[in-house]
Amino acid sequence: MTKRKLIGPFRQLLTMANLPDRGPLKDEQLEIIPEAGILIENEKIIAVGSFKVLKQKHPKVSKEIIREDMVALPGWIDAHTHICFAGSRAKDYAARNNGKSYLEIAKAGGGIRSTVLHTRAAEASKLFDLTMQRLDRHLKNGVTTVEIKSGYGLGVEEELKQLRVIKQADQKHAADVVSTCLAAHIIPNEFKDATSYLAQVQAELVPRILNEKLTHRFDIFIEDTAFTPEIAKPYLSFLREKGFQLTVHGDQFSRGGSQVAIDCGAVSVDHLEASGEQEIKALAQSKTIPVALPGASIGLGCSFAPARKLLDAGCALAIASDWNPGSAPQGNLLAQAAILGAFEQLSAAEVFAGLSFRAAQALQLFDRGTLVSGKMADIIAFPTEHFSEILYHQGMLKVKKVWKKGQIVE
Ligand code: NIG
Ligand code: FE
């Protein structure tokens, strides 16, 4: 049986529709419906418009009346996280802020390798609980779609364990989860070189992933301390031939990763803190979407990705949290995006686009990210009468209501 309902009135509803896929945006371009209603049928939006008009047109439909000032937007989409992990890296964080370098911390047993040890040691059920708790927090904050990477297993069985947990979280949690295999995060201790490790991933892990349908996406961390561009290219070409969607951790500390991402047809390249004019130009001429990860800049005390320049050059720009125990432990996507906006002079339209339809493009999800007829009814509402309050409070104006596929979840 089809279930219809009308939600509203919202003081303002930002559809995030009818905006260009790429390039700069001004707040004047935002499509804002005052005193708005949303008509939903099952999981989808079937109409958006004046609440009064929709009520007159559909007098018998059930109503969810909003009794306070609220601004509605599409549910946020976090296109890059590592929230399937165990353990804490608080000691690394403190050591960094006491003057230790990343390399010194790694040598003392910290860094990604320490999270690998904790994640390998954790039972799958424990890892599942931890992932679900983090998804709960994200959903409470309005994040209705979350990408989660593996990459703390770094071995066939260990990566499979993480990917199965991520799949189970997708099945059990109200939020939608998009899983990505990041077996190529760093070279695990068991291997002497990248080539032999990636050969094992290709020969043993990839067939198991295909067999169990665990993910359709792969990622690689391109950096001298992880995988070089020369090593990354044949690996990504192999995965592309197998039909996987590709994404890349690129240009975080040194350049080179973004060009590999472009050459290999990756859907996105994420980080870009080290990108220069040449990388920005190349990205603007490509289809690869740049993803800024302000949470990693805040966590590591580094500069932000050149978001303003990327947009002005004509790129789409998605903004994601990178939530992980090392570089980005905070995990508050809205706060991070607001702070990036303040440092990089991004309009609210550009920030909201980066968290909605442009983030959806980075994940190749075309059924969400705007509030228009036919899209998934993922809706968030902030307790305010004007959208400008949302970023102004830098994450402290909390989402009051969240609908996932038309159902109220918060
Ligand atoms: O995106 N740069 C590589 N990977 C993660 C960090 C993961 C970690 O430190 O545990 C990132 O920042
Ligand atoms: Fe990351």
Side-chain angles (χ1 to χ4, degrees):
M1 214 181 72
T2 55
K3 261 198 183 160
R4 277 191 176 197
K5 68 178 168 193
L6 176 61
I7 313 174
F10 296 101
R11 280 297 83 80
Q12 293 185 321
L13 181 146
L14 276 59
T15 66
M16 297 311 295
N18 304 314
L19 292 168
D21 282 348
R22 326 169 50 117
L25 299 169
K26 289 284 179 213
D27 290 352
E28 296 80 62
Q29 289 172 267
L30 287 167
E31 184 174 71
I32 302 170
I33 306 176
E35 303 306 322
I38 309 177
L39 187 65
I40 289 171
E41 191 173 280
N42 299 327
E43 299 185 347
K44 287 195 172 162
I45 297 169
I46 52 169
V48 176
S50 149
F51 182 76
K52 217 167 138 188
V53 172
L54 286 169
K55 206 165 84 173
Q56 280 160 3
K57 269 200 201 159
H58 307 271
K60 288 199 184 125
V61 79
S62 79
K63 287 166 200 73
E64 236 174 85
I65 303 293
I66 305 294
R67 297 191 195 280
E68 56 178 304
D69 290 336
M70 293 264 196
V71 173
L73 280 147
W76 303 138
I77 296 166
D78 190 348
H80 181 139
T81 84
H82 308 247
I83 59 172
C84 180
F85 66 88
S88 162
R89 303 246 291 279
K91 288 194 180 125
D92 286 12
Y93 186 83
R96 254 195 328 267
N97 293 340
N98 278 282
K100 289 262 185 302
S101 75
Y102 190 78
L103 215 66
E104 285 169 319
I105 292 167
K107 275 193 189 144
I112 295 173
R113 282 177 213 284
S114 95
T115 302
V116 170
L117 285 180
H118 283 101
T119 307
R120 284 181 177 182
E123 296 277 349
S125 61
K126 172 75 182 163
L127 212 45
F128 174 73
D129 290 346
L130 290 167
T131 307
M132 292 292 275
Q133 282 164 23
R134 294 174 189 131
L135 284 170
D136 284 348
R137 205 183 95 183
H138 242 15
L139 189 62
K140 217 181 181 57
N141 286 325
V143 186
T144 49
T145 301
V146 186
E147 186 260 14
I148 308 180
K149 301 173 195 298
S150 63
Y152 294 125
L154 307 186
V156 176
E157 294 306 326
E158 298 295 347
E159 282 292 306
L160 288 171
K161 178 176 91 174
Q162 266 202 292
L163 290 167
R164 289 184 192 123
V165 166
I166 296 167
K167 187 174 178 174
Q168 197 191 353
D170 179 43
Q171 288 160 349
K172 293 278 159 64
H173 205 276
D176 280 322
V177 172
V178 176
S179 104
T180 306
C181 179
L182 179 56
H185 199 179
I186 52 169
I187 305 163
N189 292 341
E190 294 78 13
F191 286 82
K192 273 211 249 17
D193 60 83
T195 313
S196 56
Y197 173 53
L198 294 187
Q200 190 201 50
V201 171
Q202 291 179 206
E204 295 177 36
L205 181 59
V206 170
R208 303 273 299 272
I209 286 175
L210 285 169
N211 198 27
E212 282 188 51
K213 296 191 172 54
L214 286 172
T215 182
H216 64 288
R217 289 166 51 89
F218 269 77
D219 192 349
I220 184 166
F221 182 23
I222 301 182
E223 198 62 57
D224 292 342
T225 51
F227 298 90
T228 61
E230 295 67 38
I231 295 279
K233 271 193 181 179
Y235 177 66
L236 291 172
S237 305
F238 168 85
L239 293 165
R240 198 180 173 179
E241 268 169 38
K242 291 273 170 206
F244 289 105
Q245 206 180 88
L246 304 175
T247 176
V248 168
H249 276 72
D251 298 3
Q252 183 182 12
F253 303 109
S254 59
R255 296 172 186 169
S258 57
Q259 193 56 53
V260 177
I262 294 167
D263 294 344
C264 297
V267 290
S268 79
V269 56
D270 308 25
H271 272 299
L272 307 172
E273 293 87 335
S275 301
E277 301 299 335
Q278 198 185 315
E279 288 73 24
I280 294 169
K281 203 171 152 201
L283 280 164
Q285 285 164 358
S286 80
K287 284 189 179 157
T288 302
I289 296 182
V291 182
L293 305 173
S297 304
I298 295 167
L300 294 175
C302 296
S303 57
F304 290 103
R308 179 73 269 145
K309 286 186 175 170
L310 285 160
L311 285 161
D312 288 344
C315 292
L317 179 83
I319 305 169
S321 75
D322 197 18
W323 191 358
N324 73 70
S327 61
Q330 182 214 44
N332 185 332
L333 178 60
L334 178 60
Q336 295 162 3
I339 292 166
L340 175 73
F343 274 85
E344 285 288 308
Q345 271 97 54
L346 307 183
S347 68
E350 288 167 333
V351 174
F352 294 157
L355 299 173
S356 60
F357 69 97
R358 288 178 173 176
Q361 285 163 11
L363 292 175
Q364 301 280 289
L365 298 173
F366 302 107
D367 59 349
R368 66 196 74 190
T370 57
L371 296 181
V372 291
S373 168
K375 298 285 175 176
M376 199 178 271
D378 290 358
I379 307 153
I380 56 178
F382 287 89
T384 178
E385 51 186 64
H386 197 274
F387 74 87
S388 61
E389 295 284 334
I390 298 170
L391 298 175
Y392 169 61
H393 288 279
Q394 297 191 326
M396 292 307 282
L397 182 74
K398 302 282 181 189
V399 162
K400 187 82 183 269
K401 283 180 184 283
V402 180
W403 291 263
K404 178 65 193 168
K405 295 183 181 145
Q407 296 298 315
I408 191 121
V409 284
E410 288 293 338

